[in-house]
Amino acid sequence: MGSLSRQAFFQELGSGCLLPTVQQGLEQVWQLLLICLVCRLSWRLGLPNFLKHLSTVVGGFYTLYLFFELHMVWVVLLSLLCYLILFLCRHSSSRGPFLSITILIYLLLGELHMMDTTTWHKMRGSQMVVAMKAVSLAFDLDKGIVDKVPSPVEFMGYIYFVGTVIFGPWISFNSYMDAVESRKLSVSWFMKSVISCVKSQLCLLISNCVAPYLFPYFIPVFGNKLLRKWLQAYENSLSFHFSNYFVSFLGETTTTLAGAGFTEEKDNLKWDMTIAKPLYVEFPRSMVEVVTSWNLPMSRWLNTYVFRKALRYGSFTAIIMTYTASALLHGLSFHIGAVLLTLGFITYIEHVLRKRLSAILNACVLSKRCPSDCKHRHKKELWVYLINGTFSMLALLHLTYLGSDFRPQDGVASHTIQKWTQLSWTSHWLTFALWVFYRLIL
Amino acid sequence: MVFLQVMMLLKLKWTSSGVKDTPHTLLFIIITFCVFFMLEIVDANSWWSLAMNPLLIPEVYVIGGQPLCSQLSGLSKGQKKLCQLYQDHMQYIGEGAKTGIRECQHQFRHHRWNCSTVDNSTVLGRVMHIGSRESAFAFAISAAGVLHAVSRACREGALSSCGCSRASRPKDLPRDWLWGGCGDNLNYGYRFSREFVDAREREKTFSKGSAESARQMMNLHNNEAGRRIVSDLADVSCKCHGVSGSCSLKTCWLQLADFRKVGDVLKEKYDSAAAMRMNGRGKLVQMHSKFSPPSGQDLLYLQPSPDYCIRNSSSGSLGTQGRLCNKTSEGMDGCALMCCGRGYDQYKAELVERCHCKFHWCCYVRCKRCSSIVDQYVCK
């Protein structure tokens, strides 16, 4: 019985899901990829920098129009507003905070007043990338990392860089200026683009066609009512994860194809842009590792421009402010805010607890993997592995719990509460228990 | 056939004898009553009894597969054959019936008739033999429940003869959304629900223009209405792909609506159900022709509802005596309407709940028990 069903299912999956997904997936993005490639090639023609910036602005505008049609004006408005603020404050030394507040007001007004939720939700990603670029530029100007306000065409080129305008990721202004110099076409560059593209399509397939039917089709585990709930939560979570990886690898593809995303050390050029590390999320050591591996450029941005500047108020406050900033960048969604805030608490409590355990036990049980030359006495004992393994299992459970309600029609507060109630608020209770344990061993 | 002829003969004779109070007449009355009673018993069981059957768990199939179907008392002959062909479906038919009954009880929780289950075999009792709008609702929501449960079971891989939905891409889906994936298999669930639920009606043949024929048509129509409402409420569901969960790109599939929505829509159909009668050519037509004709999704009924106020074993009404009611409400759940003017008794009930919970360091939570006296109103 079951074998017939599974065989029939896989046949239907192939023709009904795998093939249409790849076909439609490529159909959606081939124009974006083509524009990135054209931009890259045109930059190799030895054009003056002015025209290079202009060409990527044109490409960026066209791409925005492709994806968002006339709603792209909101992204344009945001970028014009940012440049206006930068220009008007060109003699100030507090451009960073001021621009941040301005952007925050713009995003809040947009969220609450200007347009319907669906449209705003669609282009939230692009708005987020623009906001991050502008804020980072402002702070870099304050610190002198960027020595003068860029010209309008340079600024717009940075903001509308065709490689990052739709699917991200954030790159710094200096990285963009490096890219404009236009490195040679090479096999490694081309291979990086192709491999990232293949990976992104693979992740889309997993997100769309494998994760939702993991149990019992791919893994024949049936389970009772309680287990069924957690299995379904894991399926939803996995589907959401691979949707993120799909976008991340797509971002890698477009960025590399457009000529950015490399590191250079003494004439050694590596096309090594990495946005997400799937293995570190699916087989996590800790929630800290998950958080940083989810989106590396975003993590870097939050660390540089939010966390470090908030550290003067204490580490706990800095963490909460970082997660708040992250939530605000994601828009006023109760669901995302709730998830990120919960994630913040989980991460902080796990971090301080493991730090304390590491000190008490003199063992390598920190949230981050110890370097090989650390001074802990116990490194490879069985009980050290057991402790780390337990925290890994906990992280998996937290991920399942937090990712379980990334549903198509999200944004409703009651739905998040309802979903977490179904799972008995397990992660919240566990986090509370760990905090109590931590207070006990202080 | 013979039974029917005998019954007709007895009936005619009884009518012609008038109201004479002779021992002979009394004997006729007794015989008629017995015949009626036996007939009702024979016809009382329903496939809804699958909802009450604890034997329909998958583990039972391991013990003895084949004999199970013959032991299910609620199935008609055709349904028993389908049971043997599709044994793994029976669990989900039971679940569908249960879902339907539970939703019925939710929708009618404040009504005089509240969809109570009478016993495990007839389930909703004799009320279902009256061609009322309550019967119309019950038939529709049960067929809808089966469709819902089977479609979902297909998607979850629980049934051997069906899998993902093969629904083609909707024409009004925006061009830039991806279509694919394993949606709820609405087509299969629809076909199976029609085959199984309607089997009981289709295997009987009644003479044209008879009351039984009218009831048969009513049931078939209402079953279909329930299925169509589930089908119409099914919609596209999408997943977002974009930077941090934004919606730059979407993938979509077909998904059934929550069954509560189905119940809500059917309740509206119940409130606006169309009264029908059999015309001379054996077709159902409206009782009042000034109303617009009913569509395929509307509910039909043939007879006015019985009086649900008083317990009546012949109509199957349980009555509202002993029902809780709301003194301050003017709706159906209010005491005036629920108790049918008979009045209500007022009781003091003690309600105990936890209160003033405090966390004690370290580490337990202690609550006090607070009891309060609340008024409860019960129909006389």
Side-chain angles (χ1 to χ4, degrees), chain B residues 134-198:
Chain B
E134 286 78 31
S135 295
F137 183 90
F139 274 74
I141 200 142
S142 302
V146 169
L147 165 49
H148 203 272
V150 171
S151 298
R152 192 135 287 180
C154 290
R155 182 203 170 282
E156 290 173 1
L159 301 178
S160 61
S161 55
C162 64
C164 322
S165 165
R166 291 175 159 220
S168 56
R169 184 189 183 97
K171 288 190 169 57
D172 59 343
L173 195 74
R175 179 190 52 82
D176 52 346
W177 296 8
L178 280 68
W179 178 258
C182 190
D184 294 311
N185 199 336
L186 184 56
N187 284 339
Y188 184 89
Y190 179 90
R191 279 186 281 110
F192 189 85
S193 171
R194 188 171 57 179
E195 199 75 24
F196 182 87
V197 174
D198 288 0

Side-chain angles (χ1 to χ4, degrees), chain A residues 40 43 161 163-164 169-172 174-180 183 188-189 192-193 196 251-264 269-275 297 300:
Chain A
R40 170 85 158 115
W43 281 8
F161 179 51
T164 62
W170 165 82
I171 58 172
S172 67
N174 284 341
S175 297
Y176 168 71
M177 294 304 279
D178 277 347
V180 170
R183 300 299 189 267
S188 62
W189 160 78
K192 170 65 179 178
S193 301
S196 289
E252 280 182 23
T253 305
T254 57
T255 304
T256 304
L257 211 51
F262 57 86
T263 53
E264 202 169 24
L269 192 73
K270 283 191 212 158
W271 299 92
D272 58 354
M273 158 148 283
T274 302
I275 296 177
R300 210 175 300 133

Side-chain angles (χ1 to χ4, degrees), chain A residues 380-431:
Chain A
K380 297 194 191 268
E381 277 85 346
L382 178 62
W383 57 268
V384 172
Y385 284 118
L386 279 178
I387 291 174
N388 286 328
T390 302
F391 277 110
S392 289
M393 288 298 118
L394 262 181
L396 260 182
L397 189 120
H398 290 317
L399 282 171
T400 302
Y401 178 84
L402 292 172
S404 66
D405 62 337
F406 271 86
R407 276 253 174 249
Q409 284 89 28
D410 60 349
V412 185
S414 59
H415 189 274
T416 303
I417 302 294
Q418 176 200 329
K419 198 65 178 186
W420 284 351
T421 304
Q422 270 182 34
L423 300 176
S424 309
W425 296 87
T426 303
S427 276
H428 285 86
W429 282 118
L430 276 174
T431 302

Side-chain angles (χ1 to χ4, degrees), chain A residues 202-227:
Chain A
L202 200 61
C203 289
L204 179 62
L205 287 177
I206 293 174
S207 174
N208 212 35
C209 306
V210 175
Y213 324 111
L214 202 63
F215 312 103
Y217 286 114
F218 287 94
I219 302 178
V221 173
F222 293 88
N224 58 13
K225 205 159 193 175
L226 172 67
L227 184 57

Side-chain angles (χ1 to χ4, degrees), chain A residues 5-26:
Chain A
S5 169
R6 185 174 279 105
Q7 187 179 335
F9 164 77
F10 283 123
Q11 279 174 8
E12 285 189 28
L13 192 72
S15 59
C17 193
L18 297 177
L19 213 59
T21 297
V22 172
Q23 179 192 327
Q24 293 171 75
L26 289 175

Side-chain angles (χ1 to χ4, degrees), chain A residues 1 4-5 9 12 16-17 20-21 24-25 28-29 67-68 121-122 124-125 128 166-168 204 207-208 212-213 216-217 232 239-240 243 246-247 298 330 336 408-409 432 436 439-440, chain B residues 88 154-160 162-166 169 175-183 236-253 359 361-363:
Chain A
M1 279 279 178
L4 174 62
S5 169
F9 164 77
E12 285 189 28
C17 193
T21 297
Q24 293 171 75
Q28 287 299 309
V29 301
F67 277 83
F68 307 131
H121 190 67
K122 186 173 183 182
R124 193 174 62 197
M128 189 174 73
I166 299 291
F167 292 109
L204 179 62
S207 174
N208 212 35
Y213 324 111
Y217 286 114
Q232 269 175 14
S239 190
F240 171 64
S243 170
F246 158 66
V247 171
M298 164 86 82
H330 286 77
I336 289 183
Q409 284 89 28
F432 177 71
V436 169
R439 300 297 300 181
L440 283 174
Chain B
D88 55 350
C154 290
R155 182 203 170 282
E156 290 173 1
L159 301 178
S160 61
C162 64
C164 322
S165 165
R166 291 175 159 220
R169 184 189 183 97
R175 179 190 52 82
D176 52 346
W177 296 8
L178 280 68
W179 178 258
C182 190
V236 170
S237 195
C238 299
K239 192 208 322 291
C240 297
H241 306 282
V243 179
S244 293
S246 61
C247 264
S248 309
L249 218 55
K250 274 187 175 182
T251 54
C252 309
W253 61 93
F359 174 76
W361 184 264
C362 177
C363 308

